[in-house]
């Protein structure tokens, strides 16, 4: 049996949500003592895209009510922080926003330094599993096949892998793997999940073989998937797995946006066709604001002789003025189709 491998850690910074300059100064000082920098957001709107990926979230007392009104997804490792007298009744507010701890300054300063140190280079919190999202540039592009292949390959290298089907109209990823007869829960049984989900219990409840676990839709009645259920699942997966692959729909609903915001990397699969390139440009424009690391995978054949660079350029035409992100890096297959190895990146 091959040795279990690990994904290189992708360290993210703790997120602080506050517009209180004095509180900001205090927490920057404590973070420096813990050997870590902070990502800053003045309000929930600025925090939304970084809310789930952050290893630790601190919400200032001044932003507790705005976060509650913003209905941000439930997550673990969240702290409500403020000075003495600002957090009464602290635990009642913390429960409403889903915070696990209330830190009152200055008494909680040593405890906060320890929490920050856990998120640093030498700390025990490394951000959990690496999460990859896959989208199709057009219908039938092969995104689900790629998602399944990534998950199977990761499991074969002894990574504890979760494959998540986030497309309720896709027919079920269990069919892609030939797992439709395996017992285990599907999404309809989990649509009511919110808050913190026990990661080992989730893994035991889902269809699995070896190191690969799948959360799929079934062929029953179409149900809406709440963003809270996706957030709870992604949080459990990040804590309990090594590698997570999420197969996303092209038309993003709230649950898909939640998964995309949690992803470390997103891939858009685009056939080398003119119409597919035009369709993929819309997908990239819609998905781009929710994931900073987005790449285009161009697949053949190319009946119109479109090159991979042309397809990559076409997927971002018209979006540069709207978004500050650069063109997604292009992933090309090796020149020799029979060669083995990872996809190479070019610009």
């Amino acid at each position: 049996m091959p040795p279990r491998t690990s994904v290189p850690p992708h360290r993210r910074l703790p997120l602080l949500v506050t517009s209180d300059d004095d509180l900001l100064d205090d927490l920057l000082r404590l973070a420096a003592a813990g050997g870590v920098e902070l990502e800053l957001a003045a309000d929930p709107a600025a925090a939304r895209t970084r809310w789930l990926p952050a290893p630790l979230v601190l919400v200032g007392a001044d932003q507790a009510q705005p976060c509650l009104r913003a209905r941000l997804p439930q997550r673990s490792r969240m702290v409500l922080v403020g000075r003495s007298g600002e957090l009464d009744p602290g635990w009642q507010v913390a429960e409403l926003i889903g915070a696990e701890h209330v830190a009152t300054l200055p008494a909680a300063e040593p405890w906060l330094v320890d929490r920050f140190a856990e998120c640093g280079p030498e700390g025990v919190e490394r951000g959990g599993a690496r999460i990859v999202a896959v989208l199709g540039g057009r219908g039938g592009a092969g995104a689900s096949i790629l998602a399944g292949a990534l998950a199977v390959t990761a499991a074969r290298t002894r990574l504890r892998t979760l494959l998540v089907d986030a497309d309720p109209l896709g027919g079920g990823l269990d069919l892609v793997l030939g797992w439709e007869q395996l017992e285990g829960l599907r999404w309809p049984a989990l649509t009511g999940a919110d808050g913190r989900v026990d990661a080992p219990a989730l893994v035991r409840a889902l269809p699995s073989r070896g190191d690969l676990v799948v959360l799929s839709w079934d062929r029953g009645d179409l149900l809406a998937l709440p963003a809270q259920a996706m957030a709870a699942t992604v949080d459990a997966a990040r804590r309990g797995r090594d590698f997570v692959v999420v197969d996303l729909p092209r038309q993003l609903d709230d649950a898909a946006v939640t998964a995309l915001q949690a992803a470390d990397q997103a891939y858009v699969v685009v056939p080398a066709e003119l119409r597919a390139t035009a369709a993929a440009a819309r997908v990239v424009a819609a998905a781009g604001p929710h994931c900073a690391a987005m790449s285009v995978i161009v697949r053949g054949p190319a009946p119109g002789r479109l090159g991979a660079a042309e397809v990559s350029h076409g997927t971002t035409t018209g979006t540069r003025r709207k978004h500050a992100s650069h063109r997604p890096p292009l992933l090309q297959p090796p020149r020799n189709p029979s060669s083995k190895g990872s996809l190479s990146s070019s610009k």
Side-chain angles (χ1 to χ4, degrees):
M1 178 178 293
R4 186 179 297 278
T5 58
S6 62
V7 176
H10 183 72
R11 189 170 65 88
R12 293 180 180 269
L13 300 177
L15 173 65
L16 169 61
V17 187
T18 186
S19 58
D20 183 331
D21 290 339
D22 291 334
L23 181 62
L24 172 61
D25 289 342
D26 286 340
L27 291 173
L28 287 175
R29 171 176 56 81
L30 297 176
V36 69
E37 297 178 348
L38 297 179
E39 285 208 63
L40 306 177
D43 53 43
R48 187 173 292 274
T49 59
R50 295 169 284 173
W51 184 262
L52 286 176
L56 175 68
V57 170
L58 299 100
V59 176
D62 61 298
Q63 293 301 311
Q65 291 298 329
C67 284
L68 182 61
R69 291 192 295 270
R71 299 180 63 83
L72 295 170
Q74 293 285 322
R75 56 155 294 145
S76 60
R77 293 184 59 78
M78 179 163 52
V79 180
L80 177 62
V81 59
R83 297 180 195 81
S84 179
E86 296 178 344
L87 293 172
D88 297 329
W91 278 111
Q92 181 178 344
V93 177
E95 184 176 357
L96 289 174
I97 67 171
E100 296 178 341
H101 304 280
V102 176
T104 302
L105 302 181
E109 289 190 358
W111 182 85
L112 283 170
V113 170
D114 289 341
R115 300 293 77 73
F116 287 137
E118 291 175 352
C119 300
E122 304 301 323
V124 297
E125 287 293 334
R126 300 294 183 126
R130 185 149 177 91
I131 300 178
V132 170
V134 183
L135 305 89
R138 68 151 167 81
S144 295
I145 299 299
L146 176 62
L150 287 172
V152 169
T153 302
R156 285 177 176 172
T157 61
R158 301 289 291 153
L159 288 173
R160 298 172 302 164
T161 304
L162 174 63
L163 175 60
V164 178
D165 181 1
D167 186 356
L169 299 179
L173 275 181
D174 54 355
L175 290 172
V176 173
L177 300 176
W179 285 22
E180 63 272 18
Q181 299 300 324
L182 288 188
E183 294 184 359
L185 298 183
R186 267 65 172 179
W187 267 123
L190 297 171
T191 54
D194 60 10
R196 187 178 179 89
V197 173
D198 183 70
L202 176 66
V203 169
R204 290 193 299 269
L206 298 177
S208 65
R209 281 179 177 166
D211 285 313
L212 178 58
V213 180
V214 175
L215 176 51
S216 173
W217 283 98
D218 60 9
R219 269 62 61 189
D221 294 338
L222 183 62
L223 300 174
L225 178 59
Q228 292 86 349
M230 178 63 76
T233 300
V234 169
D235 177 63
R238 193 181 285 278
R239 287 183 281 112
R241 300 274 87 188
D242 299 317
F243 188 63
V244 180
V245 184
V246 185
D247 182 29
L248 293 174
R250 290 189 301 127
Q251 187 166 348
L252 301 175
D253 55 17
D254 290 344
V257 168
T258 297
L260 187 57
Q261 290 174 348
D264 301 296
Q265 173 72 51
Y267 295 111
V268 181
V269 183
V270 188
E273 304 165 1
L274 180 59
R275 190 177 179 189
T277 302
R282 291 179 176 268
V283 173
V284 170
H290 303 294
C291 185
M294 182 169 292
S295 301
V296 173
I297 297 179
V298 179
R299 51 160 293 196
R305 297 185 178 181
L306 278 177
E310 295 171 300
V311 174
S312 177
H313 177 77
T315 59
T316 54
T317 298
T319 65
R320 294 191 188 93
R321 294 180 182 177
K322 296 171 64 177
H323 308 302
S325 58
H326 297 289
R327 181 188 308 174
L330 176 67
L331 297 182
Q332 292 181 313
R335 291 184 179 274
N336 179 5
S338 63
S339 65
K340 298 181 179 180
S342 59
L343 295 174
S344 59
S345 175
S346 63
K347 296 183 179 179

